[in-house]
Amino acid sequence: MSVLPAAPVPARWRADSSDALAAGLLLLAAAALCVFLLLPLGTLLAHSLGTGQGGWSLQLFRDFAAEPGTGLAIWNTLWVAMLVTAITVPLAFGYAYAIQRACLPFNGLWRLLGLAPLLGPSLVGAIAFIQWFGNQGVLRSWMGESGVYGAPGIVMATVFAAFPHALMILIVALAISDARLYEAAQALRASRWRRFTTVTLPAAKYGLVSAAMVVFAYSVSEFGIPKVIGGNFKVLAVEIYVQAVGLHRFGRGAVVALVLLLPVLLSFVVDQRVQRRQQAVLSARAVPYQPRPDRARDLPLLVFVVLVAAAMLAVIGMAAYTSFISFWPYNLQPTLRHYTYGLADAGVLDAYFNSLRLAAWTTVVGTPATFVTAYLLDKTGRRGSTLHRGVQAMAALPMGVPGLVLGIGYILFFNQPGNPLGGLYKTLALLVIVNVVHYYTACHLTALTALKSLDREFEAVSASLKVPRWVTLYRVTLPVCLPAILEISRYLFINAMTTVSAVVFLYAPETLPASVAIVNLDEAGELGPAAAMATLVMATTALFGLLHALLGRWLLGRQQAWRRGRG
């Protein structure tokens, strides 16, 4: 009995089914962002305005404004954030300028040291500064009578933690420049300072504004640093934690969260407006700028870079050193007791494995979710449609929402009676989801940037040849965008291992992450074990970064041999 061949599927039907699948996946992404981003934020707003009797009122805001210390907490939060921004951005700009515009030996080493604070929780700096300048610190006399606790410690530790975020932006801003502009300035005999102010700064001004907004938003929303080293210095981020966790006043916590959200959203809006005004730095006729050795420029910049890198190493090294000594400062004998206590007696070993699982699942879920959504937005359907605009707007929103605010919203939404998703509350799955949402925007923009570098003729040629869209995605788009995909996965893993603010409200005893366990150890006065666990997290992220780089190099060698050209 012969089997008749199946009738060929019409090309138009295949195209229609492909478009329908893409629209369905984009609709699913929109629904997920609505459920896990908009609804928690909407619930947060409703709790801050609700009366408890079905009505609406600003009474909670009035009560918060009338409470003693409210104005002081707001003022402290703002002036500390402005001071941190004023210190961090010039330091990061000078460091980035030295890396990109000078001829320094071991350039790659200085770049790695500048980004090193990203490898550990933000409170690593707070722990180290306590050991350097605290009541029993090595350099206690440097801080005078006031000591390091309070505003001085918060500023120093936040500058340390925010520095690499500004550095990444400014390295990119200074990476590209037109050499013809510098040649013209030299031909006109412009001084070195004149060339810097008329050529370098204007080209980097948008990067400077973006870096300032990122540092300001980071400083406003940072929780771990003021919790560890802030003492009695009131800031809004700690106030949210006190109201929600300490006093179980979730309505008041929602009010504080919305107040905290305002300056962060303002900085985000300013950054977006500046980016829309940005113009291309390079034209098609531009000549890439390559710095030439200049002793008068390179030597001072090398000294500056060495000093900043040494400060970074001093902070990280002190945290690691604290984890290996018996009892600071009375018994400096080396010991592993802090590690055995932290991992075994204090139960942080379970927390460490929880963080590994959390980081792995965040990477496995978040990387394809963000890349596929960006692909659907850029390569399928009508980009001006309501669905596309809505998903694009929701994808940009998490960048302006601090982790603490998102965490409060998740408590109020997922812990609400009658919510069919309430079973997710305090599970590892919810911690994964909140991390993916919290860091969604940066990953989305990374993927979108890579996708926009692909010419649309690839899709046009594939369509004309009747090649299914998923084949083009697998054979062309994914290999070309592999560097961006690898960067997204690295970013998600490291941030999931080190974050505190996004998960501090949402864990159960069996899902406690290591980063939160470090905060708990510090609260209990166990600074040595806290330093040990922070060092362990840093070692883990550094090892992951090394393995990730080796895997990425191997994958890129196999998938992107075309970049090397023909021999």
Side-chain angles (χ1 to χ4, degrees):
M1 180 178 177
S2 61
V3 179
L4 294 176
V9 179
R12 182 177 180 179
W13 189 91
R14 289 200 305 267
D16 291 343
S17 64
S18 178
D19 290 340
L21 177 61
L25 290 174
L26 192 58
L27 194 60
L28 181 63
L33 287 170
C34 283
V35 171
F36 296 114
L37 176 62
L38 295 187
L39 289 181
L41 293 179
T43 306
L44 178 73
L45 180 62
H47 272 72
S48 66
L49 296 174
T51 62
Q53 301 174 349
W56 303 95
S57 172
L58 294 174
Q59 187 60 42
L60 286 175
F61 285 91
R62 287 193 288 266
D63 292 342
F64 173 67
E67 188 170 314
T70 294
L72 181 62
I74 295 174
W75 169 243
N76 286 344
T77 300
L78 292 177
W79 79 257
V80 164
M82 289 187 288
L83 180 58
V84 168
T85 304
I87 296 172
T88 305
V89 174
L91 282 177
F93 182 82
Y95 202 94
Y97 182 84
I99 290 174
Q100 296 287 36
R101 300 295 178 87
C103 297
L104 304 184
F106 311 111
N107 208 23
L109 174 63
W110 307 129
R111 183 191 295 257
L112 288 175
L113 291 177
L115 298 176
L118 292 175
L119 298 177
S122 59
L123 46 81
V124 167
I127 293 173
F129 281 115
I130 289 174
Q131 298 299 75
W132 277 113
F133 305 108
N135 293 334
Q136 297 174 329
V138 178
L139 304 176
R140 169 68 179 86
S141 60
W142 287 25
M143 299 303 297
E145 294 297 326
S146 60
V148 74
Y149 300 97
I154 293 174
V155 170
M156 289 192 295
T158 308
V159 168
F160 169 79
F163 180 85
H165 297 275
L167 180 64
M168 287 189 299
I169 296 171
L170 293 172
I171 283 177
V172 174
L174 291 168
I176 301 175
S177 185
D178 192 346
R180 297 176 303 165
L181 298 177
Y182 290 92
E183 291 171 358
Q186 284 184 323
L188 294 173
R189 298 187 178 181
S191 65
R192 191 187 303 274
W193 176 251
R194 181 77 171 173
R195 294 197 300 270
F196 178 78
T197 55
T198 58
V199 180
T200 303
L201 279 182
K205 63 181 178 182
Y206 297 107
L208 282 166
V209 173
S210 291
M213 294 301 102
V214 167
V215 172
F216 180 82
Y218 182 94
S219 305
V220 166
S221 58
E222 173 55 35
F223 162 74
I225 290 172
K227 187 72 175 63
V228 171
I229 203 173
N232 295 322
F233 189 80
K234 280 194 168 187
V235 293
L236 287 175
V238 176
E239 188 66 18
I240 293 176
Y241 181 81
V242 171
Q243 294 293 334
V245 176
L247 302 176
H248 296 283
R249 298 164 68 180
F250 293 108
R252 180 66 62 84
V255 170
V256 183
L258 285 176
V259 173
L260 179 69
L261 184 61
L262 292 178
V264 178
L265 281 178
L266 177 62
S267 64
F268 175 70
V269 170
V270 170
D271 184 49
Q272 292 297 305
R273 290 179 65 88
V274 168
Q275 287 189 20
R276 281 199 295 269
R277 295 175 58 186
Q278 185 172 359
Q279 299 177 354
V281 176
L282 293 182
S283 66
R285 299 179 180 178
V287 178
Y289 176 77
Q290 295 292 335
R292 297 176 182 176
D294 184 343
R295 190 177 183 84
R297 176 201 63 199
D298 296 344
L299 187 57
L301 287 176
L302 178 61
V303 172
F304 172 76
V305 166
V306 169
L307 290 175
V308 174
M312 295 287 174
L313 284 176
V315 174
I316 295 172
M318 177 57 80
Y321 176 66
T322 302
S323 71
F324 287 108
I325 60 174
S326 296
F327 185 61
W328 180 273
Y330 306 108
N331 184 358
L332 303 182
Q333 293 298 317
T335 180
L336 293 176
R337 184 179 63 83
H338 297 315
Y339 286 89
T340 57
Y341 175 83
L343 293 174
D345 299 340
V348 183
L349 181 61
D350 292 336
Y352 175 72
F353 285 119
N354 285 339
S355 284
L356 286 178
R357 285 191 289 269
L358 174 61
W361 278 110
T362 300
T363 305
V364 169
V365 173
T367 304
T370 52
F371 184 82
V372 170
T373 303
Y375 172 81
L376 294 172
L377 287 174
D378 190 64
K379 301 296 183 182
T380 67
R382 292 179 299 166
R383 287 188 292 168
S385 67
T386 302
L387 180 60
H388 274 64
R389 288 199 303 268
V391 174
Q392 190 68 49
M394 287 188 287
L397 182 59
M399 182 172 284
V401 180
L404 285 172
V405 176
L406 200 59
I408 289 287
Y410 270 52
I411 290 179
L412 298 174
F413 178 67
F414 288 100
N415 200 30
Q416 198 172 42
N419 187 340
L421 298 174
L424 289 172
Y425 187 56
K426 291 195 172 182
T427 63
L428 185 67
L430 190 62
L431 297 181
V432 171
I433 291 169
V434 75
N435 270 324
V436 172
V437 173
H438 185 206
Y439 299 110
Y440 189 90
T441 303
C443 300
H444 176 79
L445 293 177
T446 301
L448 211 57
T449 301
L451 288 165
K452 286 185 179 298
S453 67
L454 280 170
D455 198 315
R456 292 191 172 274
E457 288 186 4
F458 286 112
E459 279 75 24
V461 171
S462 298
S464 66
L465 295 175
K466 307 296 189 296
V467 176
R469 180 176 283 142
W470 68 267
V471 174
T472 305
L473 171 64
Y474 175 74
R475 292 184 176 178
V476 178
T477 308
L478 287 179
V480 173
C481 296
L482 188 58
I485 295 171
L486 291 172
E487 178 59 29
I488 291 170
S489 65
R490 186 191 67 84
Y491 177 84
L492 286 173
F493 184 93
I494 291 177
N495 279 288
M497 279 292 296
T498 60
T499 186
V500 176
S501 61
V503 298
V504 71
F505 301 120
L506 303 174
Y507 66 90
E510 62 273 12
T511 59
L512 173 68
S515 56
V516 179
I518 295 169
V519 176
N520 295 341
L521 285 171
D522 176 78
E523 280 188 333
E526 300 289 352
L527 194 62
M533 295 306 99
T535 303
L536 184 60
V537 170
M538 291 192 68
T540 302
T541 53
L543 178 61
F544 174 82
L546 176 61
L547 295 176
H548 186 273
L550 294 175
L551 176 62
R553 185 173 182 179
W554 179 75
L555 287 175
L556 292 175
R558 287 175 57 88
Q559 299 293 329
Q560 297 203 340
W562 55 273
R563 289 185 183 271
R564 297 193 294 267
R566 297 179 180 179

